Amino acid sequence: MSPRVHPIRGPRSGEIERLIEIETAAGMLLAGHGYPSLAVEPPATPPQFAARLRGRRLLLATDSLDEPIGFALTERLGRTEWLCELSVHPAHGRRGVGAALVEAVAKAARERGCDQIGLSTFRTVPFNAPFYASHGFVELPPETAGPVLARRFRDEVPPGIDPNERLMMVRMLTRDLHP
C-alpha cells in the first residue's frame, strides 16, 4: 500500500481557531502518557496563538477538502530550522500526516540554507522521539549543541516537567537522503 499524499500549504486567513482545535486535541494525547498537566492547560486564545506565529513559518497539512488537519511551526535559529511544534489532529493520526509535515519542513529548511532541523521532545512518549528517529533525527545532548540551541531546549521544557524527560534531536540536511 502506497503512503497517502497530504497536501501541504501555508496558512490562510480565518484558520487560527482550527489550528487551536488541532493543537488542543493533539495535546490531550499526552494525558494518557504521563503528562496530564499539559492536557488540562486552557487552549490558547486566537490572539495568543497569533502572537506565537509572529516571526515563524507555519505549514499546514490538509485533507481532501483543503481543511487543516495538522501543522508544523518553525523558527530559524542560525543555520538550524527549529521545529517549535508539530501537531496532528488525532482523528488523522498514524496516516502519514506528521511525516508529510516533517518532509515539508526539511524541504523548506534546505531552501532557506539551513544545515539541520532541531527540536525538543518527550523522551518516553511513544509517538514523539521514536517518530522523529524514524525520520532521521538523532539525539543531541544540550551540552554539545551550542549556546543558542541549548538555551532554546531549556526554554521549551514545560513548567513542572523534569528536564531529563525531554531530549533534543536534530536531523542533518547536508547528508539528507530524503527528497
Side-chain angles (χ1 to χ4, degrees), residues 62-160:
T62 61
D63 64 13
S64 62
L65 300 175
D66 198 34
E67 294 295 323
I69 58 174
F71 67 88
L73 181 62
T74 68
E75 180 178 3
R76 185 156 180 177
L77 299 175
R79 295 189 55 89
T80 300
E81 189 78 7
W82 187 263
L83 184 56
C84 304
E85 181 175 354
L86 179 73
S87 288
V88 175
H89 195 286
H92 299 277
R94 304 188 62 82
R95 297 182 188 159
V97 178
L101 285 164
V102 166
E103 292 313 313
V105 167
K107 180 179 183 225
R110 280 192 297 275
E111 290 170 356
R112 292 176 70 182
C114 291
D115 297 326
Q116 65 185 3
I117 305 167
L119 59 89
S120 67
T121 192
F122 285 100
R123 189 174 294 281
T124 60
V125 173
F127 51 85
N128 277 185
F131 167 80
Y132 292 113
S134 74
H135 292 283
F137 288 82
V138 295
E139 183 172 358
L140 177 66
E143 59 274 8
T144 65
V148 172
L149 295 184
R151 184 173 42 257
R152 174 51 63 91
F153 174 76
R154 285 190 306 273
D155 289 349
E156 287 192 359
V157 175

Side-chain angles (χ1 to χ4, degrees), residues 53-66:
L53 300 179
R54 286 192 200 103
R56 294 178 169 170
R57 175 185 294 272
L58 179 64
L59 296 172
L60 308 181
T62 61
D63 64 13
S64 62
L65 300 175
D66 198 34

